[in-house]
Amino acid sequence: MEFLTTLVNGLSLGGIYAMIALGYTMVYGIAKMLNFAHGDIIMVGGYMILLFLPINPIVAIIAAMIFCMILGIVVEKLAYKPLRGASPLAVLITAIGVSYLLQSIAQMAFGSAPKFITVAAKLGIDGKMLHIGGLSIGYSTIITLVCSIVVMIALSLFVKYTKTGRAMVAVSEDKGAAQLMGINVNSIIMITFAIGSVLAALASVFFLLKAPTMNPTFGSLPGIKAFTAAVIGGIGSIPGAMLGGILLGIVECFAQAVPAISPYTDAIEFSILIILLLVKPAGLLGKKRREKV
């Protein structure tokens, strides 16, 4: 039963990583850039929940999603759009600068001390467990797992069956050809940033259900791990981001469950990334692309 509990916790954590990884992989697949400020959108979402939680937890979650969506659009318009034709290095440095800017603003606004944000208590699920035979699973874990599955299915259906989703696929395949077919590439990139930022806000909710603590650098490590998940699955591949996130979550939970190796959990995760890139550089579901010269 302990094995099943750890597996469910791993799937739940993996679902969170997958949601963040989807933001990375969608932006890379469509705009061909790595948005290293994406992890800090999680942090911003957490602080929005802190501000609105006294009103109502549902209102706080919705406010965080809306604010993060607007922030993602603003960052894309002000920081990334002017660099659309610039070198990848210039865009990467800008993304790192945006990341530190968001952290600094959060520190000035809320201070550097950790803030306790009791989302689970406000929702009335703090400490509640579901018992199935000898298996005990926390309500917060179940909610995280179910919501993650619903979000990933919804996003897959959106990309596959909606006009905007098909336009996103077209832009990721060939931006020039998509533009010639009448697709507004700038609008598609903006929508991609908006969707990724909403997913980051949702991820902040689920992280706070697990550990109700927030500080200005809160999103850094989850962001890096989610980027690792995106690369493991194949950067630019939506199913790959989901698979990579779930695998990373399972590995992390099982590593933490073994006392002898739990202090080295992060090292194990990043070692898996290095080994996989040596064996399969494009990732598990990634495709090799020929660069046009």
Side-chain angles (χ1 to χ4, degrees), residues 9 18 30 77 90 161 170 173 212 257 275-276:
N9 289 333
I30 292 170
K77 289 285 184 186
Y161 293 109
E173 291 293 333
I275 294 167
L276 180 67

Side-chain angles (χ1 to χ4, degrees), residues 30 159 162-174 178 183-185 188:
I30 292 170
V159 170
T162 67
K163 185 178 179 180
T164 303
R166 290 194 294 270
M168 291 167 71
V169 174
V171 172
S172 69
E173 291 293 333
D174 193 321
I183 296 173
N184 189 329
V185 173
I188 294 299

Side-chain angles (χ1 to χ4, degrees), residues 175-243:
K175 194 181 296 183
Q179 204 160 13
L180 290 173
M181 294 299 293
I183 296 173
N184 189 329
V185 173
N186 288 331
S187 295
I188 294 299
I189 292 174
M190 182 190 72
I191 292 169
T192 303
F193 270 86
I195 293 172
S197 298
V198 170
L199 293 177
L202 283 173
S204 71
V205 177
F206 299 132
F207 271 123
L208 289 172
L209 286 176
K210 288 181 174 293
T213 308
M214 176 66 58
N215 62 48
T217 59
F218 171 80
S220 298
L221 187 57
I224 293 171
K225 287 187 177 181
F227 174 68
T228 302
V231 175
I232 288 173
I235 191 77
S237 167
I238 290 176
M242 297 176 186
L243 177 62

Side-chain angles (χ1 to χ4, degrees), residues 44-91:
V44 172
Y47 279 118
M48 287 301 104
I49 292 171
L50 173 66
L51 291 177
F52 289 93
L53 195 59
I55 300 172
N56 182 277
I58 304 300
V59 170
I61 293 168
I62 294 171
M65 291 167 62
I66 293 172
F67 186 86
C68 287
M69 180 181 69
I70 295 170
L71 177 62
I73 293 170
V74 170
V75 167
E76 191 275 329
K77 289 285 184 186
L78 297 182
Y80 300 140
K81 188 177 178 181
L83 299 174
R84 197 64 53 81
S87 68
L89 182 60
V91 179

Side-chain angles (χ1 to χ4, degrees), residues 231 270-283 288:
V231 175
F270 294 121
S271 296
I272 291 172
L273 171 65
I274 294 168
I275 294 167
L276 180 67
L277 289 179
L278 290 173
V279 177
K280 193 171 173 54
K288 290 184 179 180

Side-chain angles (χ1 to χ4, degrees), residues 23-179:
Y24 278 110
T25 207
M26 287 172 67
V27 169
Y28 180 82
I30 292 170
K32 297 296 180 289
M33 63 160 289
L34 296 173
N35 179 22
F36 276 113
H38 188 65
D40 296 287
I41 302 292
I42 305 169
M43 174 269 297
V44 172
Y47 279 118
M48 287 301 104
I49 292 171
L50 173 66
L51 291 177
F52 289 93
L53 195 59
I55 300 172
N56 182 277
I58 304 300
V59 170
I61 293 168
I62 294 171
M65 291 167 62
I66 293 172
F67 186 86
C68 287
M69 180 181 69
I70 295 170
L71 177 62
I73 293 170
V74 170
V75 167
E76 191 275 329
K77 289 285 184 186
L78 297 182
Y80 300 140
K81 188 177 178 181
L83 299 174
R84 197 64 53 81
S87 68
L89 182 60
V91 179
L92 178 62
I93 292 171
T94 302
I96 294 171
V98 171
S99 172
Y100 281 111
L101 175 63
L102 292 175
Q103 290 180 23
S104 298
I105 292 173
Q107 187 170 349
M108 288 188 292
F110 300 99
S112 58
K115 304 288 184 184
F116 293 94
I117 309 175
T118 53
V119 178
K122 288 287 185 179
L123 289 172
I125 60 171
D126 191 24
K128 289 189 175 181
M129 306 288 288
L130 178 66
H131 301 282
I132 305 173
L135 183 66
S136 298
I137 309 170
Y139 274 34
S140 59
T141 300
I142 295 170
I143 290 172
T144 301
L145 183 58
V146 171
C147 289
S148 300
I149 292 170
V150 169
V151 166
M152 287 187 279
I153 291 172
L155 184 62
S156 298
L157 294 174
F158 171 80
V159 170
K160 189 173 183 179
Y161 293 109
T162 67
K163 185 178 179 180
T164 303
R166 290 194 294 270
M168 291 167 71
V169 174
V171 172
S172 69
E173 291 293 333
D174 193 321
K175 194 181 296 183
Q179 204 160 13

